[in-house]
Amino acid sequence: MSRAHLDADDAASLLRELAWLRKRGGFTASRLVQAPIVDEVLRGSLEDSFERLRHRFVSAIHSLSEQDEPLVGVLLAAFTLSPETAGSGSLLERRRAMASRLGCSMETIASREEAGLRLLHSRLVAGRYAQAPLVLDVPEMHGGIVYEETTTLIVVEHRQWRGTVEHYRLANMAGELDFVTISRSYPAHVTAQPGGEFSVNSRPVEGAGWNDHFWHIDPASGRRTPMHDATRYDLAFRAEPLPGEEPTTPISLASRAFHARSLLATIQVRFIGEVPSSIWQFTGASPFARPQAANQYNRTSLDAQQRATLTQRDVHGGLFGGFGWEW
């Protein structure tokens, strides 16, 4: 069985299994074993761990935010997937906590759960959410690289850039491919993750910054080998100031644009020492239209670790998302 061939009986069973999974201890490894169709639609291969299936399930729930943001919290609580419900063994207890948080009745929470389950059912059947298992019958995923999930962390210490760590989980849909190119506008020493699947070769581009070409290698032999078609890869690397060139100019911008489709993109900036007096976020901005100041719509804040986080879904087209700030 696959999502593309889920018959009417299986689809009905999937909805029943989802309704059952939210009860008692919620979405746990032992309970997922008793929900075989939910397991099937989340699973890309027999080697997938429970944690990977859990991440996909959470991703599917978060994909509903475009229709109803509060619904996401209701479902995460119902399945014991939110931090505040971890370890809860009672759906009634979780509903009570959610009703108190949202200022409504438990009956309202139960009603929203039912509506949410139907929407979640549709997403799981279609496989249209950020971390869905790779399926080859999705037209949008043909003919290029698709970033299933990307994370970018920029570290700023005492107003100076100290480094950037990036991780790309990508699906190659372009046939055999030797390397992936990621561009940057600033000078840096770039190193691929030791022991990973890629090596890096950086080249300046006149008037346009630098291109980092990440060549796929065979970890066993260390030799360059093409990436296979319809296969996932993990690309991780670090960018740091050039040796002997200590940054002297205060940094006030952290952003990233994608020329290939990115299904789930997270960008973070972490401040060590001094923090900005004002910080704002933006999405879908051209290089010339990134906002220069905070306002009531874009102002953001730092968490307890002095980090700002922006999560975007299904982005591409060369437009920037990220943060600007003032000291």
Side-chain angles (χ1 to χ4, degrees), residues 278-282 291-300 324 326:
S278 177
I279 184 168
W280 56 91
Q281 67 180 33
F282 54 87
Q292 302 298 306
N295 57 47
Q296 61 179 320
Y297 304 107
N298 64 17
R299 191 183 306 276
T300 189
E326 294 178 339

Side-chain angles (χ1 to χ4, degrees), residues 144-170:
I145 288 288
V146 177
Y147 296 126
E148 291 190 329
E149 182 177 7
T150 74
T151 60
T152 301
L153 170 64
I154 298 97
V155 178
V156 179
E157 183 176 12
H158 302 307
R159 299 194 178 194
Q160 310 299 321
W161 174 65
R162 292 303 178 193
T164 298
V165 180
E166 302 207 51
H167 179 213
Y168 293 71
R169 180 168 172 79
L170 60 93

